[in-house]
Amino acid sequence: MIQPFDSLDAYERAMQLSVDDPEAFWSHVASQYSWIQPWSQVLNWDFRCYDVRWFEGGTLNITLNCLDRHLSDRGEKTALIWEPSDPEGASRSFTYQELHSEVERTAAALRRQGMGKGDRICVYMPMVPELAVVVLAIARIGAIHSVVFGGFSAHSLADRIADAGCRMVITADAIVRGGKILPCKEVVDEALTNCNGVERVWVFRVSGSDVDMIYGRDVDAHEEISRYSGTGGEAEVMQAEDPLFILYTSGSTGKPKGVVHTCGGYMVYAGYSFTHVFRAQPGEVFWCTADIGWITGHTYLLYGPLLQGSTTLMFEGIPIWPNPDRFWKVCERHSVNLLYTAPTAIRSLMAAGDAWVKPYSLNSLRVLGSVGEPINAEAWQWYHREVGKRRCPVTDTWWQTETGGILIAALAGLSPLKPTYAGLPLPGIQPVLLDAQGEIIEENEREGYLAVRFPWPSMIRTTWGDHERCRQTYFGAYPGYYFTGDGARRDADGYYRIIGRVDDVLNVSGHRIGTAEVENAINMHPLVAESAVVGVPDELKGQAIYAFVICKGDPQNPDNIRAEITATVTEFIGKIARPDKIQLVPGLPKTRSGKIMRRILRKIAEGDVSQLGDTSTLLDPSVVDQLIRGRI
Ligand code: WTA
């Protein structure tokens, strides 16, 4: 286990060492984990063709570090607590020993299904403990997990299964959340009618809903696993650079891409960042409210806390159901020490009124974290005052699916608190701000593009099946740097404030959605000729989705068309990508070369039409007035 820095001095010394001698620095961090065979080379890197390799020659299995390593002195301590969506339902908990044996049995059963090293297994499940167990079991046998968030539609799921070439899908009968029962297995069935290659589907019966089982393909997962003891569930020996998982995320163009993380580097950075940012001690109860279907759930619900021997809490429900005090009830019920959630949740709880949180003393809480989108000052203050009772440091953590772990944050309880600033880079992280020409901005208090100039262990290795796309996206824009897609500014103390995406990626309630993806889905409607999607600021969601749509012919019933377009987006992506507003328009502001001027669309959508800037380069400037008149 890693000891968190005990002072800002210690942090600064580590920072200095990480710059002066990165290999010595990371070698020291990595040596605090158990390796089957030590590495022979700490780092090999080249940002031009994009090749980064960490801890080569080393072999390991992340689950040995998450589970086995704790058995001798923490075996009886709680590894995982599960809180069901139903507040009257019984919670479940697993000691490290119990979680270890569940994972071993599941790993043995997976092996008997013929799964092994390098096979891709898709996981499409609700937030039940079985989800955590299967993800760890997949890692244990050296297969590659691709977890798909349960809110994605059958189409999205099919695309991801096909792209990764999955041989197996693990799912559940239904998703129980916030008083509703949502389909899960049915979505998998539908997805699999559109893609080949899946030989086996495991179904966990967690809700008691009826499901159709397809003979020869579908297997009752509990029944299957119950036939195995731990024998056969031994950890596979993995090379440091073998892939651990694929996680799909949206970019500014095309379909979502499969971000690949590797066994060694990801493990080292997940544990390292978890420990230092939250200054977590073994035994503390950590509650990350994210779904395991997102990177935050991977790194800080599952791997990070288990690497550090903490107790991780997994919640099946949503913050405001049955009432907006559910979060605080859960915190008290399980004596949560560290709470890690998203600004969108904080804002919705704040909007529900202080009366829901005031009655709770929340005195087990020690640290509050925020992630996923910029946190506005009001939400920060409320979180600090009403939830943390002015006792708990708030750490705003900036990172991405591609970074694998938190890169910039306030170190809880050490760094001075600055609302709306994510904070300082972790030692080992070398961020820079670049101007439009790709020159480093040395002065402070200026805005620039956030990039990183030196590798860190958990950085994206490739996008599955398309390395050139990875190189282009992250290393093509500013040669020699990893480009984040975010804009930021740095103050005189070196604190970073994240401004938001500078590309065509939206952040809706902390969910990352590409405008191109939403446009493609809208265009699937047979009456749509063309569309353009922009984000507009939204008090609760951070950003809302505003779509401008050109229909073929004159739409007879605009309300119907809008409803159908919404249904089409739900069908092709999922509810999270539904446009908040759809404006039917006669044309779009395009340049003579056919490029849509999104800057103008953003202004119109925001209702800020006084300064539209130069519209003279438009092919048909009159379209702008029509759009303004038709604004909704
Ligand atoms: C945004 C989520 C401001 C950012 C971990 C980034 C943030 C994108 C913060 C990645 C933060 C994440 N402050 N913005 N603390 N954290 N973001 O891949 O725009 O789902 O590029 O990873 O979320 O989203 P992703």
Side-chain angles (χ1 to χ4, degrees):
M1 257 90 67
I2 299 184
Q3 274 307 314
F5 303 124
D6 52 11
S7 63
L8 271 184
D9 270 359
Y11 159 82
E12 269 155 24
R13 279 196 306 274
M15 191 70 186
Q16 199 55 50
L17 174 64
S18 76
V19 175
D20 295 345
D21 191 348
E23 297 204 7
F25 175 80
W26 286 114
S27 190
H28 172 71
V29 176
S31 65
Q32 294 170 63
Y33 292 97
S34 78
W35 295 74
I36 298 166
Q37 190 114 56
W39 55 90
S40 45
Q41 174 84 33
V42 178
L43 171 66
N44 262 307
W45 69 292
D46 177 348
F47 273 2
R48 274 158 312 172
C49 63
Y50 191 46
D51 179 24
V52 159
R53 282 168 281 149
W54 281 94
F55 310 117
E56 262 183 318
T59 57
L60 76 154
N61 188 294
I62 192 168
T63 68
L64 293 174
N65 283 281
C66 287
L67 300 168
D68 304 59
R69 193 172 51 127
H70 301 308
L71 295 184
S72 55
D73 54 349
R74 312 196 52 76
E76 297 312 314
K77 298 281 193 292
T78 309
L80 177 83
I81 303 173
W82 177 72
E83 168 76 16
S85 176
D86 176 2
E88 307 298 323
S91 56
R92 292 166 66 187
S93 72
F94 300 74
T95 62
Y96 272 94
Q97 185 70 58
E98 287 164 342
L99 189 60
H100 176 263
S101 59
E102 286 296 317
V103 169
E104 267 202 325
R105 288 168 50 214
T106 309
L110 284 172
R111 280 205 175 105
R112 279 303 287 266
Q113 300 284 330
M115 297 299 135
K117 197 172 195 164
D119 286 325
R120 277 81 64 200
I121 302 179
C122 176
V123 181
Y124 185 77
M125 282 184 68
M127 284 281 282
V128 291
E130 288 82 352
L131 165 58
V133 171
V134 296
V135 170
L136 292 166
I138 293 169
R140 189 138 179 115
I141 64 166
I144 301 170
H145 53 78
S146 167
V147 184
V148 177
F149 171 60
F152 282 115
S153 70
H155 269 100
S156 296
L157 178 60
D159 280 350
R160 287 158 168 79
I161 291 171
D163 186 80
C166 294
R167 290 183 60 202
M168 181 173 177
V169 178
I170 303 180
T171 189
D173 51 3
I175 297 174
V176 179
R177 195 169 50 215
K180 295 194 188 116
I181 297 196
L182 308 164
C184 191
K185 163 70 162 58
E186 283 164 41
V187 181
V188 171
D189 286 341
E190 197 189 327
L192 293 185
T193 59
N194 294 322
C195 56
N196 304 317
V198 172
E199 301 148 34
R200 187 64 74 223
V201 175
W202 269 12
V203 185
F204 283 98
R205 293 178 191 265
V206 295
S207 75
S209 312
D210 279 342
V211 283
D212 291 333
M213 299 291 273
I214 294 179
Y215 183 75
R217 188 195 73 181
D218 299 353
V219 169
D220 181 305
H222 281 128
E223 234 174 75
E224 182 66 21
I225 295 164
S226 69
R227 295 205 241 140
Y228 296 88
S229 65
T231 320
E234 299 77 19
E236 192 75 31
V237 178
M238 305 302 288
Q239 298 291 326
E241 280 295 314
D242 282 338
L244 173 65
F245 66 85
I246 305 172
L247 187 59
Y248 285 85
T249 192
S250 298
S252 50
T253 54
K255 287 191 171 180
K257 47 190 178 259
V259 171
V260 176
H261 283 292
T262 54
C263 295
Y266 176 82
M267 173 183 80
V268 168
Y269 200 82
Y272 165 82
S273 56
F274 174 76
T275 306
H276 289 300
V277 172
F278 301 103
R279 304 187 66 236
Q281 294 294 344
E284 285 193 305
V285 180
F286 184 82
W287 182 17
C288 165
T289 69
D291 193 288
I292 292 187
W294 307 110
I295 191 68
T296 307
H298 278 59
T299 309
Y300 299 111
L301 194 159
L302 201 58
Y303 288 117
L306 295 180
L307 286 167
Q308 184 66 1
S310 304
T311 300
T312 187
L313 175 72
M314 184 173 183
F315 176 43
E316 189 184 27
I318 53 174
I320 47 163
W321 191 83
N323 287 307
D325 61 350
R326 184 65 196 275
F327 263 25
W328 322 130
K329 282 203 155 78
V330 175
C331 284
E332 293 218 335
R333 183 171 189 186
H334 300 294
S335 303
V336 171
N337 303 118
L338 308 109
L339 173 64
Y340 190 36
T341 194
T344 189
I346 298 168
R347 287 190 298 262
S348 70
L349 294 167
M350 181 170 81
D354 298 355
W356 289 106
V357 55
K358 285 260 190 269
Y360 296 88
S361 74
L362 300 175
N363 49 21
S364 60
L365 285 179
R366 188 175 65 72
V367 173
L368 302 176
S370 173
V371 60
E373 42 173 328
I375 179 165
N376 49 309
E378 200 191 349
W380 194 103
Q381 296 293 0
W382 185 85
Y383 197 30
H384 184 245
R385 188 180 67 238
E386 299 299 331
V387 182
K389 315 289 181 194
R390 301 183 205 273
R391 265 185 307 107
C392 306
V394 171
T395 170
D396 178 15
T397 63
W398 173 84
W399 60 298
Q400 314 177 292
T401 306
E402 295 87 340
T403 68
I406 297 166
L407 299 196
I408 299 180
L411 304 181
L414 286 188
S415 320
L417 298 180
K418 272 195 200 184
T420 76
Y421 277 81
L424 299 168
L426 284 176
I429 304 303
Q430 300 187 29
V432 288
L433 294 179
L434 301 177
D435 64 18
Q437 284 69 47
E439 299 298 326
I440 292 187
I441 301 174
E442 300 284 358
E443 330 67 303
N444 293 322
E445 309 292 2
R446 264 185 60 196
E447 230 166 78
Y449 299 129
L450 183 60
V452 189
R453 69 171 151 201
F454 196 84
W456 66 99
S458 65
M459 69 189 300
I460 179 177
R461 292 301 192 274
T462 189
T463 46
W464 185 261
D466 193 351
H467 191 66
E468 179 53 19
R469 185 174 179 194
C470 172
R471 195 197 61 77
Q472 277 270 338
T473 310
Y474 305 104
F475 302 91
Y478 301 103
Y481 302 98
Y482 165 81
F483 176 51
T484 65
D486 279 314
R489 85 187 278 129
R490 186 180 46 228
D491 75 3
D493 300 326
Y495 274 56
Y496 285 85
R497 172 188 212 153
I498 310 300
I499 291 154
R501 301 290 304 198
V502 293
D503 53 8
D504 291 321
V505 172
L506 307 179
N507 193 327
V508 181
S509 300
H511 298 150
R512 192 167 149 178
I513 301 169
T515 51
E517 244 179 292
V518 184
E519 289 162 6
N520 289 341
I522 293 175
N523 298 350
M524 297 308 280
H525 190 285
L527 293 180
V528 170
E530 199 182 356
S531 61
V533 163
V534 295
V536 288
D538 180 274
E539 267 198 13
L540 277 184
K541 300 180 179 187
Q543 271 187 316
I545 303 179
Y546 195 113
F548 295 87
V549 178
I550 307 178
C551 288
K552 293 176 186 157
D554 203 12
Q556 296 303 309
N557 187 334
D559 284 344
N560 272 359
I561 282 259
R562 276 197 279 267
E564 283 176 27
I565 290 173
T566 305
T568 309
V569 174
T570 309
E571 184 189 340
F572 281 91
I573 307 178
K575 277 191 180 165
I576 55 169
R578 284 185 304 191
D580 297 84
K581 287 193 175 157
I582 299 173
Q583 181 178 348
L584 303 179
V585 297
L588 291 168
K590 287 190 183 169
T591 60
R592 288 191 187 91
S593 58
K595 202 171 162 308
I596 297 175
M597 291 193 71
R598 287 169 190 280
R599 177 179 56 77
I600 295 180
L601 291 177
R602 256 180 241 122
K603 291 261 180 200
I604 296 174
E606 282 170 30
D608 175 16
V609 294
S610 56
Q611 288 173 317
L612 284 182
D614 183 14
T615 56
S616 63
T617 55
L618 291 179
L619 186 62
D620 174 11
S622 73
V623 93
V624 172
D625 284 335
Q626 290 172 315
L627 295 192
I628 294 172
R629 275 200 302 278
R631 211 183 143 262
I632 41 175

